[in-house]
Amino acid sequence: MRTIEVCLGSSCFLKGAYAVLDTFVALQRQHGLEDDVRVAGAFCQEHCREGVSVAVDGTIYSVPDKDTARALFTRLFSTESTP
Ligand code: FES
């Protein structure tokens, strides 16, 4: 199972972490990936100066807003992408 962990630490919280988390949960459900992708909150990931920190399978991404969350999800999890 792949994982998306959204930092809910104080810095990321102030930058909109819950909106980013909600966006990933909505996309997970929209794409029917509940059994394939785990979406969860996480403690500080030591990247507090960047946007909301999101770890996808252990790789950290800076996700400042919902649009970036959607783009990242599409890039990493779209079943329509070509091999
Ligand atoms: S509070 Fe999110 S990386 Fe530190």
Side-chain angles (χ1 to χ4, degrees):
M1 174 175 279
R2 301 184 70 185
T3 62
I4 300 173
E5 295 176 305
V6 179
C7 176
L8 300 178
S10 56
S11 179
C12 291
F13 172 81
L14 292 173
K15 294 173 186 166
Y18 276 95
V20 169
L21 177 63
D22 287 347
T23 299
F24 281 123
V25 169
L27 288 164
Q28 174 209 39
R29 292 178 179 160
Q30 181 182 330
H31 289 266
L33 294 173
E34 293 94 331
D35 294 333
D36 301 312
V37 180
R38 184 176 74 89
V39 181
F43 293 114
C44 177
Q45 300 173 352
E46 308 294 334
H47 290 266
C48 312
R49 291 184 173 211
E50 300 166 20
V52 175
S53 295
V54 176
V56 180
D57 300 332
T59 299
I60 302 290
Y61 296 88
S62 177
V63 181
D65 51 40
K66 292 179 177 182
D67 288 341
T68 305
R70 285 188 201 98
L72 179 63
F73 190 95
T74 298
R75 180 158 60 92
L76 296 177
F77 296 99
S78 174
T79 56
E80 298 173 1
S81 62
T82 54

